[in-house]
Amino acid sequence: MATITEAKIIVTSPGRNFVTLKITTSDGVTGLGDATLNGRELAVAHYLQDHVAPLLPGRDPDRIEDMWQYLYKGAYWRRGPVTMTAIAAVDTALWDIKGKVAGMPVYDLLGGRARDSAMVYGHASGATLPALLDDVERFQDLGYRAVRVQAAVPGLSGTYGVRHGTVYEPAGGSLPEEQVWSTEAYLDFAPHYLAAVREKFGSGLHLLHDVHHRLTPTEAAHFGRRVEDLRLFWMEDPTPAEAQESFRGIRQATTTPIAVGEVFNSVWDCQQLITERLIDYIRASVVHAGGITHLRRIFNLAELYQVRTGSHGATDLSPVSMAAAVHLDVTVPNFGVQEYMEHDPLTHEVFRPAYELSDGALHPSDVPGLGVELDEEPAARFPYEPKYLPVHRRTDGSVHDW
Ligand code: KDG
Ligand code: MG
């Protein structure tokens, strides 16, 4: 029996910070798992280094489910983004190893493809409406069939979710930037630019919009109603989801589809949302929701309630995460869409994924395992730099919800 011989944590910042776990077995097979938690990267790196890596040598890499249970239940302290991201890294690396040993792509280990590829959505944004319309057109010309649409809100000094430059990167300075948010200004403006995009591009393009948890349930219900006729693919994160039952009012008020879950880390964050059908899309991801093993459980539960998948896939999810996501996406019957953002070109000096983007969809590679490599020599040239997501304050100075 092969055993795990080494678990190495690689922290690198090619364009942005990434934490990656590399597990090696006594047969010399290696597997990769993403462990990046935006703005809290070193917490996961230390959790892995101090509390997980020492437990792994000598263990059987084949026993993926047992490893998951051992790390989740065995720690006593369950759930939470740091723990679940660390478990995800181990889990993902073991699926990668299992695929390489079996000579199969991970999607085949998961039961085989239920579709050929995973439709993705791109991120169009603009400081002005004309700039936004141009950006949507650019994505359409690139072959995207689904586009998330965000515009800067007039009167605010900055609007989260609007790209600066060519690569979307929400994490910024070495201390969190503080931005002012006005719900009133947003509610006045957003329906107009969404309508303008629908009018220009017609009904053939899927339009998505991210509210970034900024509304109360009542405001979200109002917003969903106002944009109902635009037939959005989804409105994302309309309100914070700690109180799952708060989605009931939004659901009853509007038929605009609801997506939520990029900050979730376990099935317990969305059990009620799914079983009461309070949402249409679950956005939990491989890296933050306990790896392929746990995310598959969430997706399987969602399937029973006609909730589809729409996993988070911003630039803070490394190409290792994206590879794992695409393998899972093509196997689940209730797949909806996959978020996808191009990484900074520097990222590809370190990570070499074999998935391909064409016709607005990601196609998993058919090489054994996940089909992604990490080159440690360039990784060492990009040391960690503290970078934080911004903090939002209301016009009265108090801290706002995300
Ligand atoms: O790390 C946080 C970002 O990934 C997130 O804010 C981006 O909202 C986001 C999205 O939908 O991709
Ligand atoms: Mg989002």
Side-chain angles (χ1 to χ4, degrees):
M1 173 190 91
T3 57
I4 295 173
T5 51
E6 196 190 2
K8 184 170 181 183
I9 293 93
I10 299 159
V11 180
T12 179
S13 191
R16 70 159 353 275
N17 292 317
F18 294 110
V19 179
T20 311
L21 178 69
K22 179 179 175 184
I23 293 181
T24 306
T25 72
S26 51
D27 286 342
V29 181
T30 59
L32 297 176
D34 184 17
T36 308
L37 186 61
N38 205 2
R40 297 293 183 270
E41 294 88 356
L42 298 185
V44 186
H46 284 287
Y47 187 108
L48 283 167
Q49 188 69 58
D50 299 338
H51 304 297
V52 175
L55 315 182
L56 301 185
R59 294 194 176 278
D60 182 351
D62 267 343
R63 299 192 179 201
I64 299 178
E65 180 65 46
D66 183 66
M67 180 70 84
W68 199 94
Q69 301 293 333
Y70 173 77
L71 293 174
Y72 181 78
K73 296 178 179 167
Y76 187 74
W77 307 106
R78 300 183 183 199
R79 304 164 58 182
V82 175
T83 298
M84 298 304 280
T85 302
I87 294 176
V90 177
D91 183 81
T92 308
L94 294 187
W95 280 102
D96 193 17
I97 288 171
K98 194 181 268 299
K100 289 178 182 172
V101 171
M104 288 182 181
V106 167
Y107 64 73
D108 266 339
L109 297 178
L110 295 171
R113 297 192 207 210
R115 65 187 50 70
D116 296 332
S117 60
M119 181 177 76
V120 297
Y121 67 90
H123 281 241
S125 67
T128 61
L129 179 54
L132 172 65
L133 295 173
D134 286 350
D135 210 30
V136 176
E137 191 165 352
R138 185 174 66 84
F139 277 98
Q140 196 179 39
D141 291 347
L142 287 168
Y144 282 78
R145 289 171 262 155
V147 182
R148 188 187 90 161
V149 176
Q150 311 290 132
V153 177
L156 299 186
S157 58
T159 305
Y160 186 78
V162 175
R163 198 182 60 245
H164 304 286
T166 53
V167 176
Y168 179 88
E169 180 45 71
S174 56
L175 290 174
E177 186 193 339
E178 304 206 8
Q179 295 180 350
V180 175
W181 174 252
S182 161
T183 293
E184 294 74 18
Y186 166 76
L187 285 176
D188 283 347
F189 182 54
H192 295 293
Y193 73 71
L194 291 171
V197 173
R198 179 57 90 204
E199 194 184 345
K200 172 159 184 192
F201 295 93
S203 58
L205 189 64
H206 294 304
L207 300 182
L208 298 78
H209 177 66
D210 194 346
V211 183
H212 292 297
H213 307 107
R214 299 282 167 69
L215 302 177
T216 65
T218 307
E219 289 163 348
H222 165 81
F223 180 77
R225 273 194 186 172
R226 280 197 65 192
V227 298
E228 216 159 78
D229 288 344
L230 302 177
R231 198 176 47 68
L232 295 185
F233 189 92
W234 76 35
M235 73 170 165
E236 174 180 335
D237 292 342
T239 198
E242 283 100 327
Q244 296 181 38
E245 67 278 6
S246 65
F247 278 67
R248 216 176 274 135
I250 309 172
R251 183 52 138 194
Q252 281 162 3
T254 178
T255 57
T256 295
I258 303 168
V260 73
E262 66 183 47
V263 302
F264 293 175
N265 47 70
S266 87
V267 70
W268 307 110
D269 294 326
C270 48
Q271 183 197 19
Q272 187 179 7
L273 290 170
I274 290 172
T275 59
E276 293 187 23
R277 283 212 77 252
L278 303 181
I279 57 172
D280 298 273
Y281 295 91
I282 179 68
R283 281 183 42 71
S285 65
V286 168
V287 57
H288 299 135
I292 291 172
T293 298
H294 193 66
L295 189 62
R296 182 162 61 153
R297 231 166 238 142
I298 295 174
F299 286 178
N300 290 347
L301 177 70
E303 189 211 342
L304 302 181
Y305 295 92
Q306 292 172 302
V307 173
R308 293 200 280 155
T309 74
S311 284
H312 187 206
T315 39
D316 47 303
L317 285 80
S318 87
V320 178
S321 267
M322 289 310 301
V326 179
H327 282 281
L328 183 56
D329 287 342
V330 297
T331 66
V332 290
N334 52 328
F335 171 76
V337 72
Q338 171 66 51
E339 181 179 10
Y340 176 65
M341 292 183 189
E342 297 271 357
H343 284 107
D344 189 300
L346 283 180
T347 301
H348 293 293
E349 291 190 16
V350 173
F351 295 94
R352 281 193 302 277
Y355 51 74
E356 281 173 12
L357 178 73
S358 65
D359 304 325
L362 280 172
H363 300 252
S365 77
D366 55 10
V367 304
L370 291 174
V372 57
E373 285 171 21
L374 184 156
D375 194 338
E376 291 190 50
E377 186 274 315
R381 284 194 271 119
F382 299 104
Y384 167 79
E385 298 170 52
K387 279 191 184 153
Y388 290 96
L389 290 167
V391 172
H392 299 91
R393 291 188 183 275
R394 295 184 184 84
T395 43
D396 71 358
S398 58
V399 175
H400 203 288
D401 281 307
W402 257 95

